[in-house]
Structures are given as C-alpha cells and as structure tokens.
Amino acid sequence: MKIGDKVKFLSEIGGGTIAGFKGNNIVLVEDNDGFQIPTPITDIVVTGSGEEYDTNKVISKSAQTTQKQSNARQEKKSPKTDFEEDVTPHIKRSDVNTIRKYIEERKGGDVLNCYLAYVPKEPSSFTTTPFDSYFVNDSNYYVRYALLVAEGAGWTLNSTGEIEPNTKCFIEEIERGNLNEYDRIAFQIIAYKRDKNFMIKPVIDTQIRLDKVKFYKLHAFHENDFFEQDALLYTIVENDKTIRPLVVDAKQLKRELYNSTKEEKNSERDSDSYVRRYDNGKKNKLFSKKHDEDEIVIDLHATSLLETTAGMNSHDILTYQIDTFRKTLEEHKNEKGKRIIFIHGKGEGVLRQAIIHELKYRYKNYPYQDASFQEYGYGATQVTIK
C-alpha cells in the first residue's frame, strides 16, 4: 500500500486515492473533490491492481513497526508525541471531525451558499433510475440542518446533521415512484465557525416545492461544480440570500410594495400598477386595504416559483404555474370563506386566461374577481373558497 494507490471504503460506498499516511494505522484518502479523509487502514481495500489488499498483513506489519518504535523510545526515554497517543486503529469514519482539527477555508467562501442536489444513480436508464439526494455546503461555515417533509397540514422530520465547510453530505436514495411523497420540503439551517470569530448568519427557515416534471427531463440536469455528472440543483440559500418562499404573507407583500414605491421617482410610477386617490386636487398616499387572516397571496410569477427556468420552454413554465394554482386551491378547499390572491401579472394575459379557464370549468363553484387594483394593480385575481 503506497501513495497513489486507488482504494475503496469497506464500511460505505466511495473511495479515492491514497495521498499520505498518519502514523501506522491511518491513511489519508483523497476523494474526487480533493478532500483528504483520515481513514483506518482496516477500513479500505486497494483496487488499483484489481485484487483486494490483504489488510491482515498490513496490520501485522504495522504492529511490529509500532513495537520497534516503542522499544526505541523507551531506550531513549523520550515521550510519545501527542498524535501517537491519540491515534487508535478503532477510529470510525464518523469520527473524522475529531481528527481533522484544521479546516482549510477558501477565498470568497464567507458568503453562505447551500443547495439540495439530486443525482441520477443510473444516467443511462434515465426514465427508471432512482436518485441520490445530497446537501451541498459551498461555504466556509459549518452548517447544521433539519430537512422536513410536508404531510398534509403538518410536517415530519426526514433527516438532520452537521456538514463541514466546502463539502457535501449524502441524505438518502429516492425511488422515482416515491417522488410524490416529496411535494413540499423545508430546510431549517444554522451556520457557524469553530474556534474563531465569524460574521453571524441569520437562521434559515425556507420551503421548496419539488417540480416532478424536471425529474423526467434530462435537460433539467446540468453540469455543476459539485458532482462529476449532471445534477438537478435546488437553491436553499445563495450569497447569503434565502430563496423566496412559495406562499407570500399578505402583510409582508404589502410592506414590500409600499417600500418599493417610496424609493421610485414619481415619473417612473406606472399608472397600471398604482391607483391614487385625489382629495381637493392633491395626491394622497396610496390607498391600502387592511388584510385579515382569511386572505393569502400566491405569486405565480416564474421567477418566484422557480430558482431557474433553464431548460424549460414557455409551455413547461405555464404548466408549472397552473399546477401550483390547482394545488393551492386543493390545499385550502376546506377553508370556507378563504380568499386567495393569485398574482399573475399583466403581460400578454396568457396565464390569466388559463386561470380563468380553470375557474370556469374545473372550479365552477369558486367565485372570483379582479383583486384590489390599489394593492396589486391589474395583474391579480381573487378567488374565494366556497
């Protein structure tokens, strides 16, 4: 066994190339991402020659070498080094954090970037392959996460863990037939550094809606910096900014609209987006309606629903928007009197026409009308649950 040999792990999937040794029992295995993983010599096999390495010989030889070194130290009456006292052949790969004392940081890594990735296990059989899901931590921060999966009106904990800086963590394998169980997922994340000062990051609590259509389209999987093969990436947080939530709080949206209008110049305000009231010939503040708990707002713009539209044509985007419209009505169908504001924008009116068609033929019992012009301009429709 020597530097440069290709090896595999015995206790789990994966492997790499031997980059060095620590003592007589620990091997530094460098994976495809360039990370050196301290691994007990009993937990690897050499695969470069096509034959399994005889770890018993290595253990025996290592034991003899260790005994000779111990005798020599006793003769010289020199103490053991700290590392020799700490090293044990029973170290597990889960104890890597206790060995890797120094984490190398990279330039530009102090902004938080985290992604949920799906990698097909068998790309050659794309229509039937299961997927491996990973949490990718592309930052200099340690990240502790909790992954939740929606079940009706509640949530269940899927997995939780801590991920080292600039690395990725396998979460689970998902069969294609089980994708419908992951309609909505949520991440709760805290980020920190160890043994040094750092800029605190806000606690992240965000939801993601998985688009099942993408899992059947090869072009939705792209080349990336984290995997050797194409992967489907969902952004959790990028450049310290959390992805926009699926369901927009009406009060929060109103505040954002109001703040944005204050920053715009009067000459740049569009009369289609803002309606003013006049009193004695003077312009007053924007008229606003007080929201209550019986009203929610859903933004159907593609930029709000999808982190990227790469690989999707206009039909794919419209299908996704209408699917979101239907699922929202289904989720609230038992909440009588609930008012849902769907923001679709003015544009060419294609999305609005599709929504009106759904309301006329699929949801005939739901009354609808244009939403408040003062608050949403001419690009929103209000639906009432009956």
Side-chain angles (χ1 to χ4, degrees), residues 163-377:
I163 306 179
E164 291 184 348
N166 301 302
T167 187
K168 57 182 180 285
C169 172
F170 174 77
I171 299 177
E172 63 179 332
E173 178 183 322
I174 302 177
E175 294 292 337
R176 186 178 291 273
N178 296 332
L179 285 172
N180 290 331
E181 299 176 6
Y182 298 82
D183 184 50
R184 284 187 301 135
I185 61 177
F187 275 98
Q188 296 177 336
I189 294 173
I190 59 173
Y192 49 89
K193 292 186 179 182
R194 292 180 173 174
D195 305 321
K196 62 177 64 179
N197 292 330
F198 60 91
M199 296 298 294
I200 193 169
K201 303 293 182 181
V203 176
I204 295 171
D205 184 1
T206 189
Q207 299 181 26
I208 298 174
R209 188 186 297 276
L210 296 188
D211 183 4
K212 312 306 183 303
V213 176
K214 289 185 177 181
F215 287 84
Y216 290 87
K217 294 186 175 182
L218 186 60
H219 60 258
F221 292 73
H222 301 285
E223 183 179 354
N224 57 89
D225 296 330
F226 312 115
F227 302 91
E228 292 183 354
Q229 64 189 85
D230 293 349
L232 174 60
L233 296 180
Y234 282 89
T235 302
I236 302 171
V237 55
E238 192 167 55
N239 295 328
D240 286 339
K241 295 182 179 180
T242 309
I243 60 171
R244 193 168 182 176
L246 295 175
V247 179
V248 181
D249 179 78
K251 295 181 180 179
Q252 179 182 352
L253 180 62
K254 180 62 175 66
R255 288 195 297 268
E256 292 178 355
L257 289 174
Y258 180 73
N259 290 334
S260 64
T261 59
K262 290 177 64 178
E263 298 174 357
E264 294 178 352
K265 296 180 180 179
N266 292 336
S267 60
E268 296 176 344
R269 292 182 176 177
D270 185 357
S271 60
D272 286 342
S273 301
Y274 305 95
V275 177
R276 301 179 178 86
R277 297 196 315 183
Y278 290 82
D279 185 12
N280 297 326
K282 297 180 179 180
K283 293 181 180 180
N284 287 343
K285 293 181 179 179
L286 296 179
F287 174 72
S288 63
K289 172 186 174 183
K290 185 178 180 181
H291 294 282
D292 53 45
E293 296 179 354
D294 292 329
E295 184 175 288
I296 62 173
V297 180
I298 306 295
D299 192 343
L300 293 179
H301 284 98
T303 53
S304 297
L305 298 178
L306 301 165
E307 61 272 12
T308 178
T309 57
M312 301 179 69
N313 55 35
S314 58
H315 179 268
D316 294 334
I317 296 174
L318 179 61
T319 300
Y320 188 87
Q321 291 169 318
I322 294 301
D323 184 54
T324 300
F325 171 81
R326 293 172 180 170
K327 289 180 179 178
T328 302
L329 293 182
E330 288 299 319
E331 288 176 6
H332 299 280
K333 64 181 179 182
N334 296 324
E335 302 177 38
K336 307 299 182 183
K338 191 82 168 183
R339 295 188 300 277
I340 305 177
I341 308 297
F342 291 99
I343 300 177
H344 45 67
K346 192 174 179 181
E348 298 179 358
V350 177
L351 177 57
R352 181 181 184 278
Q353 292 176 11
I355 290 175
I356 299 303
H357 182 272
E358 290 287 312
L359 291 169
K360 284 183 177 180
Y361 296 99
R362 183 184 290 265
Y363 304 99
K364 298 179 181 179
N365 298 329
Y366 289 177
Y368 64 93
Q369 64 187 59
D370 289 334
S372 171
F373 298 150
Q374 290 91 340
E375 297 183 46
Y376 306 106

Side-chain angles (χ1 to χ4, degrees), residues 47-193:
T47 60
S49 62
E51 298 178 359
E52 293 191 354
Y53 192 81
D54 189 348
T55 55
N56 291 328
K57 293 181 179 179
V58 175
I59 294 172
S60 177
K61 183 177 180 180
S62 299
Q64 293 174 6
T65 303
T66 301
Q67 185 62 40
K68 291 180 180 179
Q69 292 177 345
S70 177
N71 293 337
R73 284 194 296 269
Q74 289 178 1
E75 291 176 359
K76 296 179 180 180
K77 297 183 180 181
S78 59
K80 295 181 180 180
T81 64
D82 292 339
F83 182 80
E84 290 170 339
E85 291 175 350
D86 293 337
V87 170
T88 169
H90 303 293
I91 294 177
K92 300 178 181 178
R93 296 208 62 230
S94 59
D95 297 329
V96 168
N97 287 337
T98 63
I99 300 175
R100 187 184 297 171
K101 296 181 180 180
Y102 303 100
I103 297 296
E104 183 178 353
E105 296 189 349
R106 61 179 178 81
K107 185 178 180 180
D110 281 344
V111 292
L112 200 59
N113 292 284
C114 296
Y115 306 91
L116 174 64
Y118 291 94
V119 181
K121 292 183 69 69
E122 301 175 8
S124 59
S125 304
F126 186 76
T127 58
T128 59
T129 180
F131 300 91
D132 286 337
S133 63
Y134 291 85
F135 186 103
V136 178
N137 175 19
D138 187 26
S139 73
N140 291 336
Y141 283 75
Y142 284 86
V143 170
R144 183 167 291 278
Y145 77 93
L147 169 59
L148 312 172
V149 178
E151 286 192 3
W155 297 83
T156 59
L157 178 63
N158 178 278
S159 65
T160 183
E162 181 189 64
I163 306 179
E164 291 184 348
N166 301 302
T167 187
K168 57 182 180 285
C169 172
F170 174 77
I171 299 177
E172 63 179 332
E173 178 183 322
I174 302 177
E175 294 292 337
R176 186 178 291 273
N178 296 332
L179 285 172
N180 290 331
E181 299 176 6
Y182 298 82
D183 184 50
R184 284 187 301 135
I185 61 177
F187 275 98
Q188 296 177 336
I189 294 173
I190 59 173
Y192 49 89
K193 292 186 179 182

